[in-house]
Amino acid sequence: MKEHSIPKATVKRLPLYYRYLRILNNAGKTKVSSTELSEAIQVDSATIRRDFSYFGELGKRGYGYDVEDLMHFFGKILNDDQLTNVALVGVGNLGSALLKFKFHQSNSIRVSCAFDVKEDIVGRIVDGIPVYPLDNMVEQIKLQQIEIAILTLPAQQAQQVVDQLADAGIKGILNFTAARLTAPDDVIIQSVDLTNELQTLIYFLHHNTDNK
């Protein structure tokens, strides 16, 4: 299996499969079919089987999938057996909400530090996370050997911060700003534009209504 051959849409569904398999395993269920998975997570069974086929033979015809084996398989692919420390840049309303979230759907992801410029928050511990001044960001990221950062700061500051993050050794950035960012080839940027998502939802809402 070559990682680059897995479609991005499939990769985005892997955490969904993994979370539901954990639920099944905790409930004591030992096997599951693609049809049962489809009904539970609202992804059609043909898509599930196609997604799974990229990883070889994961199930047996007439039996389905072994829940525990499949859970451990996807957990390993998603590196859920290793703790990943994440840096948060920008502790405004959205940043503060992410600190409270604590990524409860995974035991392997932890925001270990945050950075901001506001004097009233720098130097404090917010929801168990130390907030450092932005000027200390590169030093702390290198010191803590962090490879992933979340951006929730004003868009006009984002590109400069991305340049600094890349220099500090960050390899993955989850961008919540509206800025179109560039980075070296070895740095992956994944953008989450809430306004775009809402506008897309509104379009489909009205489009579907118009065609009823």
Side-chain angles (χ1 to χ4, degrees):
M1 179 190 70
K2 297 181 179 179
E3 290 186 4
H4 66 264
S5 68
I6 309 300
K8 189 173 183 179
T10 294
V11 174
K12 286 187 173 183
R13 285 189 288 268
L14 296 185
L16 180 62
Y17 299 145
Y18 178 56
R19 286 198 299 270
Y20 187 65
L21 287 165
R22 287 178 60 186
I23 292 172
L24 291 179
N25 186 65
N26 290 338
K29 192 170 179 64
T30 58
K31 66 177 182 178
V32 65
S33 68
S34 58
T35 301
E36 290 174 298
L37 282 172
S38 174
E39 293 173 352
I41 63 178
Q42 299 300 298
V43 175
D44 68 87
S45 57
T47 297
I48 293 174
R49 289 192 295 272
R50 184 172 63 249
D51 286 347
F52 287 8
S53 71
Y54 290 111
F55 303 96
E57 293 293 332
L58 299 182
K60 298 177 182 177
R61 186 177 297 275
Y63 175 84
Y65 304 97
D66 183 285
V67 170
E68 186 174 12
D69 287 349
L70 198 58
M71 179 189 70
H72 289 312
F73 179 81
F74 284 128
K76 188 172 182 62
I77 287 177
L78 294 168
N79 288 323
D80 203 54
D81 56 345
Q82 301 176 18
L83 179 64
T84 298
N85 288 316
V86 179
L88 175 72
V89 186
V91 191
N93 292 335
L94 179 56
S96 296
L98 289 174
L99 290 183
K100 288 181 171 59
F101 180 58
K102 298 187 185 302
F103 299 94
H104 59 81
Q105 293 174 336
S106 173
N107 296 322
S108 65
I109 302 173
R110 179 183 68 184
V111 175
S112 60
C113 59
F115 303 92
D116 208 294
V117 296
K118 297 187 291 292
E119 293 183 359
D120 62 333
I121 196 170
V122 166
R124 292 177 50 198
I125 305 294
V126 179
D127 289 295
I129 311 301
V131 181
Y132 298 94
L134 194 61
D135 290 343
N136 290 0
M137 181 180 70
V138 172
E139 176 188 357
Q140 283 297 324
I141 284 175
K142 287 182 177 179
L143 183 65
Q144 299 187 39
Q145 299 181 323
I146 296 172
E147 293 187 328
I148 296 178
I150 302 173
L151 297 188
T152 55
L153 72 169
Q156 61 268 25
Q157 301 174 20
Q159 185 60 60
Q160 180 181 355
V161 169
V162 166
D163 295 340
Q164 294 175 315
L165 290 171
D167 289 341
I170 288 291
K171 298 303 180 185
I173 297 172
L174 185 60
N175 171 36
F176 278 94
T177 80
R180 299 176 68 87
L181 304 173
T182 59
D185 291 340
D186 62 343
V187 178
I188 299 172
I189 298 178
Q190 185 168 320
S191 294
V192 181
D193 190 320
L194 298 179
T195 300
N196 280 355
E197 295 296 331
L198 280 171
Q199 287 177 329
T200 301
L201 176 61
I202 291 169
Y203 166 80
F204 282 121
L205 177 65
H206 289 283
H207 180 77
N208 289 339
T209 301
D210 292 342
N211 285 280
K212 286 181 179 179

